[in-house]
Amino acid sequence: VSSLAPSAELPQNAKCTSADEIARHCTTVVSRLQHFQRVMRAGFRLKSILTAEVYRKVLLLSPAERSRVTAGKLFNLVSSDTNTVGDFCAMAYGFMSAPLRIVITMVLLYRQLGLSAVVAIVCIGAAVPVNSRIVRAAAARLQQALRHTDTRAKLESELVGGIEVVKASTWEGPFYIRISAARAQELSVLYTVTLLQSLMGVLVNAIPTIIPVATFLAYLIIRREPLSAAQAFTALSLFNVLRFPLFQLPQIVTQVRPEAHRAGGAPACQRVSACTSMQA
């Protein structure tokens, strides 16, 4: 009966282990949040600086150079390209950390699960190209939407600039039809972008669940022995570490590639640099 009664106190080593785990978890969370706060602040500051510089440069351009910067191009520079460069700044650290975290996690998984960890490597190797393809498709559609936005902005600028002629000639109807058609095309492409981003979100949330199931199944088939609780929980913790790098790495690769449908970070930097280097 005395052996069935709950013990009054935990062993000293269990208390120390629990305290170490809590302290380690708190340190990890605080460090990660500090990292995100700092890189996002740097990205927002960079976006604000580039936006102010683009506006200042456009206001100081000569008439010949000013004719090359249309209202749609200026709108895309301020609303899209500067935002892309800011996001690229926020994700730049992940370009170094994401592959390193994946490699270290896979080594630890191999030490825990043996050859069954190869299944996780295969799943990750298949997931990264699929996510990269979806990100590239979304970037291409977004660039197409920006072209429709440029067309719509040009029409609206013509309408506002020649409002007296438009009203005198009763051209409101034709302008309305042309602007509505450009807006409809823009919304149609943006709807496709939203669907692709939703599909990417589904894959990102499903892959961290599929990989452990496939790996544990391979462990049972290869080892033909039950999986211990220590191995299972350790492997689940390592799989949880892989969640964010698997989400971040395809986006970083797409941003870095200079030929990424002209919607990545490198093409955006080139367009902003070309605008700010115009002769005043």
Side-chain angles (χ1 to χ4, degrees), residues 206-226:
I207 287 173
T209 303
I210 295 173
I211 293 178
V213 173
T215 305
F216 291 156
L217 182 61
Y219 181 89
L220 296 177
I221 294 174
I222 296 174
R223 293 289 187 90
R224 297 186 181 277
E225 61 183 21

Side-chain angles (χ1 to χ4, degrees), residues 67-81:
S67 61
R68 295 170 50 190
V69 183
T70 62
K73 183 177 180 180
L74 178 61
F75 177 79
N76 290 337
L77 281 172
V78 174
S79 65
S80 176
D81 290 339

Side-chain angles (χ1 to χ4, degrees), residues 13 19 30 59 69 78 98 127 129 136 153 169 174-175 177 179 182 191 209 213 220 228 248 251 262:
N13 57 353
V30 171
L59 292 175
V69 183
V78 174
R136 289 198 299 269
S169 304
F175 266 99
I177 293 174
I179 293 174
Y191 179 73
T209 303
V213 173
L220 296 177
S228 64
Q248 193 180 34
Q251 296 184 358
R262 296 184 57 80

Side-chain angles (χ1 to χ4, degrees), residues 9 30 53-54 57 64 83 95 108 113 118 123 134 150 152 158 167 169 195 199 206 218 232 235 261 268 277 280:
E9 295 183 358
V30 171
E53 182 63 22
V54 168
K57 193 66 176 181
N83 191 27
F95 183 73
L108 296 177
L113 303 177
V118 177
C123 292
I134 294 174
D150 191 3
R152 176 177 58 83
E158 292 176 4
K167 297 296 289 185
S169 304
L195 291 180
L199 177 60
H261 302 282
S277 61

Side-chain angles (χ1 to χ4, degrees), residues 22-271:
I22 294 173
R24 187 180 301 113
H25 179 72
C26 293
T27 304
T28 302
V29 170
V30 171
S31 301
R32 185 177 302 171
L33 293 178
Q34 280 292 315
H35 162 69
F36 283 121
Q37 191 263 348
R38 291 178 183 274
V39 296
M40 293 301 292
R41 179 189 294 178
F44 285 132
R45 287 180 175 176
L46 180 60
K47 177 185 176 182
S48 301
I49 293 172
L50 290 178
T51 301
E53 182 63 22
V54 168
Y55 277 126
R56 187 190 68 83
K57 193 66 176 181
V58 169
L59 292 175
L60 297 178
L61 287 177
S62 61
E65 292 288 341
R66 179 66 182 84
S67 61
R68 295 170 50 190
V69 183
T70 62
K73 183 177 180 180
L74 178 61
F75 177 79
N76 290 337
L77 281 172
V78 174
S79 65
S80 176
D81 290 339
T82 56
N83 191 27
T84 302
V85 175
D87 294 340
F88 178 69
C89 175
M91 292 190 300
Y93 179 76
F95 183 73
M96 299 180 292
S97 65
L100 183 62
R101 292 170 67 180
I102 291 175
V103 171
I104 293 176
T105 304
M106 295 311 304
V107 171
L108 296 177
L109 278 174
Y110 182 80
R111 294 182 60 183
Q112 285 290 327
L113 303 177
L115 291 177
S116 58
V118 177
V119 177
I121 298 176
V122 173
C123 292
I124 292 174
V128 171
V130 171
N131 286 339
S132 298
R133 186 176 295 273
I134 294 174
V135 171
R136 289 198 299 269
R141 299 297 186 278
L142 183 59
Q143 184 64 27
Q144 185 179 356
L146 291 177
R147 288 195 293 268
H148 292 306
T149 303
D150 191 3
T151 303
R152 176 177 58 83
K154 287 180 181 179
L155 291 173
E156 292 174 350
S157 178
E158 292 176 4
L159 175 62
V160 175
I163 190 64
E164 295 180 357
V165 178
V166 171
K167 297 296 289 185
S169 304
T170 64
W171 288 344
E172 298 93 334
F175 266 99
Y176 175 78
I177 293 174
R178 294 172 62 188
I179 293 174
S180 298
R183 181 59 176 169
Q185 292 177 347
E186 179 186 359
L187 291 178
S188 176
V189 178
L190 289 176
Y191 179 73
T192 306
V193 173
T194 303
L195 291 180
L196 291 174
Q197 290 177 347
S198 300
L199 177 60
M200 185 177 64
V202 170
L203 290 177
V204 167
N205 289 285
I207 287 173
T209 303
I210 295 173
I211 293 178
V213 173
T215 305
F216 291 156
L217 182 61
Y219 181 89
L220 296 177
I221 294 174
I222 296 174
R223 293 289 187 90
R224 297 186 181 277
E225 61 183 21
L227 188 67
S228 64
Q231 288 177 317
F233 285 110
T234 302
L236 287 175
S237 300
L238 293 174
F239 284 128
N240 191 36
V241 172
L242 287 175
R243 181 184 297 269
F244 186 72
L246 290 178
F247 169 75
Q248 193 180 34
L249 189 59
Q251 296 184 358
I252 296 172
V253 172
T254 304
Q255 291 284 337
V256 172
R257 291 179 59 186
E259 70 279 6
H261 302 282
R262 296 184 57 80
C269 290
Q270 294 174 2
R271 288 192 291 270

